[in-house]
């Protein structure tokens, strides 16, 4: 999740929740209630994007991006960073529907001329391309999940620049559906998002496994929507930016790369 709103508590560390090898992933009361031995193997896997499939941004990366916006818009880096934070919700909840609209909104907030909008838009596109780069090991894991018969989807709080760049990313070809908050008109953990992605996949909630790093209260949100949920350690490391994170005592695995093993062993307990 990028440039969280300043009114939302920001955390750069994970709550004290143990992580375990895949063979020992069933932990806590939530897991005992939904143990793999008592429920059918999920036929769909719904994945968070930032911090799960691709790295969540670090503080340094956030400041570097703000500095690039500042140079174009003619403001200080701190002012640009403040504007990016203050506009997070508008960029992610559907108020702004295209990269062009985002660029114009940022320019207006910085009192920049309309002539700067095109440059801001190009920067947004470049940054989105970089943000969507995925590790080869992760792509291999998605391919394994596909070959195992799982339907895959991405569900992410994302701005229009990310949504518009998605189909040009290596990740897109592995997913049967992709739902972004800027297009759905809501941000996590709104149940609307979880219901919408289930409809796109054509599966019932109990047939789906949600996988994410825990930002935006997404794991509890998925469970409230009737899905199974598993947490992965944040891609990008524990010091990456996150907001809206809540404590989690359910399933935990090291990374998305461990998902094929988790599903293969689903009925063994």
């Amino acid at each position: 999740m990028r440039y969280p709103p300043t009114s939302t508590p920001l955390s750069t560390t994970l709550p004290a929740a143990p992580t375990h090898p895949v063979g020992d992933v069933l932990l806590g009361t939530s897991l005992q209630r939904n143990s793999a031995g008592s429920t059918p193997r999920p036929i769909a896997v719904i994945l968070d994007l930032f911090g799960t499939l691709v790295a969540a941004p670090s503080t340094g990366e956030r400041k570097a991006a703000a500095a690039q916006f500042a140079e174009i818009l003619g403001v200080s880096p701190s002012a640009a960073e403040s504007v990016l934070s203050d506009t997070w919700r508008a960029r992610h909840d559907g108020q702004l529907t295209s990269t062009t609209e985002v660029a114009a909104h940022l320019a207006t907030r910085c009192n920049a001329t309309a002539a700067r909008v095109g440059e801001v838009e190009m920067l947004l596109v470049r940054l989105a391309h970089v943000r969507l780069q995925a590790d080869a090991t992760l792509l291999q894991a998605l391919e394994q999940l596909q070959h195992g018969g799982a339907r895959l989807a991405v569900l992410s709080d994302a701005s229009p620049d990310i949504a518009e760049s998605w189909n040009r990313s290596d990740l897109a070809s592995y997913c049967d559906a992709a739902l972004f908050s800027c297009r759905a008109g809501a941000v996590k953990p709104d149940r609307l998002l979880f219901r919408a992605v289930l409809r796109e996949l054509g599966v019932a909630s109990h047939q789906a496994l949600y996988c994410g790093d825990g930002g935006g209260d997404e794991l509890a949100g998925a469970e409230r929507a009737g899905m199974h949920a598993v947490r992965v350690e944040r891609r990008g490391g524990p010091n990456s930016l996150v907001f809206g994170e809540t404590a989690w005592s359910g399933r935990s695995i090291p990374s998305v790369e461990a998902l094929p093993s988790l599903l293969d062993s689903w009925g063994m307990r």
Side-chain angles (χ1 to χ4, degrees):
M1 297 179 182
R2 305 161 64 206
Y3 307 114
T6 54
S7 60
T8 305
L10 178 66
S11 168
T12 57
T13 58
L14 296 173
T19 54
H20 299 264
V22 174
D24 295 323
V25 3
L26 298 180
L27 300 168
T29 56
S30 160
L31 297 178
Q32 293 166 6
R33 183 177 66 251
N34 294 321
S35 72
S38 62
T39 57
R41 167 178 165 152
I43 63 174
V45 178
I46 299 168
L47 299 138
D48 173 47
L49 181 55
F50 298 111
T52 302
L53 292 177
V54 299
S58 67
T59 301
E61 289 169 336
R62 175 179 173 174
K63 289 185 178 298
Q68 293 181 70
F69 282 106
E71 184 176 359
I72 293 172
L73 294 169
V75 296
S76 68
S78 61
E81 189 168 1
S82 178
V83 167
L84 287 166
S85 292
D86 292 344
T87 60
W88 186 92
R89 182 163 290 276
R91 291 185 290 117
H92 287 72
D93 69 1
Q95 295 179 55
L96 303 171
T97 61
S98 69
T99 305
T100 303
E101 285 188 16
V102 172
H105 187 67
L106 293 174
T108 298
R109 289 292 302 269
C110 291
N111 296 316
T113 65
R116 299 291 186 181
V117 172
E119 292 179 72
V120 175
E121 184 173 1
M122 287 190 290
L123 176 57
L124 286 166
V125 171
R126 289 199 300 272
L127 291 175
H129 174 74
V130 172
R131 292 297 314 284
L132 289 172
Q133 298 301 303
D135 295 335
T137 55
L138 182 134
L139 297 178
Q140 290 169 1
L142 296 182
E143 186 173 2
Q144 284 182 269
L145 291 169
Q146 274 189 328
H147 288 169
R151 292 179 60 77
L152 303 179
V154 161
L155 173 58
S156 177
D157 284 344
S159 50
D161 43 300
I162 294 295
E164 291 173 13
S165 298
W166 171 255
N167 286 335
R168 297 190 294 275
S169 74
D170 290 335
L171 289 163
S173 63
Y174 294 93
C175 296
D176 299 288
L179 186 71
F180 300 109
S181 62
C182 63
R183 290 179 173 167
V187 296
K188 296 175 185 176
D190 195 311
R191 189 170 293 189
L192 177 153
L193 296 173
F194 298 103
R195 289 174 174 169
V197 75
L198 289 170
R199 284 197 302 271
E200 290 201 21
L201 285 174
V203 299
S205 58
H206 69 274
Q207 296 176 305
L209 173 65
Y210 184 88
C211 178
D213 66 314
D217 195 29
E218 61 187 351
L219 299 171
E223 285 200 331
R224 288 192 293 270
M227 302 180 194
H228 308 285
V230 61
R231 180 184 191 168
V232 293
E233 293 182 25
R234 183 159 298 113
R235 210 170 195 95
N239 293 323
S240 301
L241 298 173
V242 62
F243 74 96
E245 189 174 38
T246 55
W248 177 250
S249 61
R251 307 174 189 226
S252 294
I253 57 176
S255 66
V256 172
E257 284 87 332
L259 274 175
S261 295
L262 173 61
L263 289 185
D264 285 346
S265 62
W266 192 267
M268 295 182 182
R269 293 199 178 219

